[in-house]
Amino acid sequence: MTSEHNYLNLIEELNRFGISLSKERNLDHLLEILVETAMSLTHAQAGTVYLTDKNQTGLRFVFARNQLIDLDKAGLLDVAKHSGVLPFRSTDGSENHANVSVHVALTQCAVNIADVYATEQFNFSGTRAIDQKIGYRSQSMVVVPMVNHQGELLGVLQLINACPK
């Protein structure tokens, strides 16, 4: 495939994504479209969305997809949805930069990690626990802030295990 062909496919996919977003009014379905499109564009195996909670004090899990594992059957989605908020502040009142998603929300800067098991930059004990529970191995992760046109933080998108085409 030529790079021009890849470029045209990307434009076509982004166009379909934009049309889908403009038509959709159901937030759950919007998030599903967002994650599936982002996974497709980045060739990621999995994607997760966290949105800011109603009090703007942290992030709450709202959606996940994994191409290899049915997360609903694994019982992960219910557990994650009821796990509470990832707080923006630690118990001592300082900003919580230990969690990669919270760090991205606070800084509004994307983070790209080659191997979440090899880095000491963030605490991935939760990721490791989920991996163990569902028989998965998270490795690479890209976490990007989701910001509206007014610059207000909406949440973060995680893309996990990008695979070669």
Side-chain angles (χ1 to χ4, degrees):
M1 243 186 248
T2 67
S3 60
E4 183 179 336
H5 181 71
N6 290 339
Y7 179 73
L8 291 174
N9 284 342
L10 174 64
I11 299 262
E12 200 172 285
E13 192 160 350
L14 287 171
N15 191 33
R16 280 193 302 270
F17 176 63
I19 291 168
S20 295
L21 286 180
S22 67
K23 290 180 180 178
E24 188 56 55
R25 298 292 177 243
N26 179 300
L27 178 61
D28 291 336
H29 196 235
L30 272 170
L31 295 174
E32 184 176 347
I33 292 168
L34 169 70
V35 170
E36 289 180 356
T37 302
M39 287 172 56
S40 174
L41 291 172
T42 61
H43 308 287
Q45 286 180 346
T48 306
V49 175
Y50 292 87
L51 296 179
T52 54
D53 70 322
K54 63 183 174 186
N55 298 323
Q56 303 289 309
T57 60
L59 297 172
R60 64 181 171 79
F61 169 86
V62 292
F63 186 81
R65 173 81 73 229
N66 188 308
Q67 291 178 339
L68 303 179
I69 296 171
D70 184 335
L71 299 174
D72 202 21
K73 283 186 182 175
L76 178 67
L77 296 180
D78 282 339
V79 170
K81 285 182 181 179
H82 296 92
S83 64
V85 172
L86 298 171
F88 289 149
R89 300 243 171 235
S90 300
T91 53
D92 66 2
S94 64
E95 288 186 341
N96 175 15
H97 290 277
N99 179 285
V100 67
S101 293
V102 172
H103 170 80
V104 167
L106 291 171
T107 63
Q108 294 191 14
C109 293
V111 171
N112 184 357
I113 298 170
D115 189 344
V116 299
Y117 281 64
T119 187
E120 294 182 17
Q121 186 177 3
F122 301 102
N123 178 348
F124 284 104
S125 60
T127 300
R128 289 184 184 108
I130 292 168
D131 282 357
Q132 186 175 11
K133 177 181 168 121
I134 64 174
Y136 188 71
R137 170 58 162 89
S138 297
Q139 186 166 346
S140 63
M141 184 181 291
V142 172
V143 186
V144 295
M146 297 187 312
V147 180
N148 69 15
H149 64 281
Q150 296 169 328
E152 299 166 331
L153 178 73
L154 302 174
V156 298
L157 170 66
Q158 292 180 338
L159 296 166
I160 302 163
N161 291 357
C163 300
K165 291 184 194 179

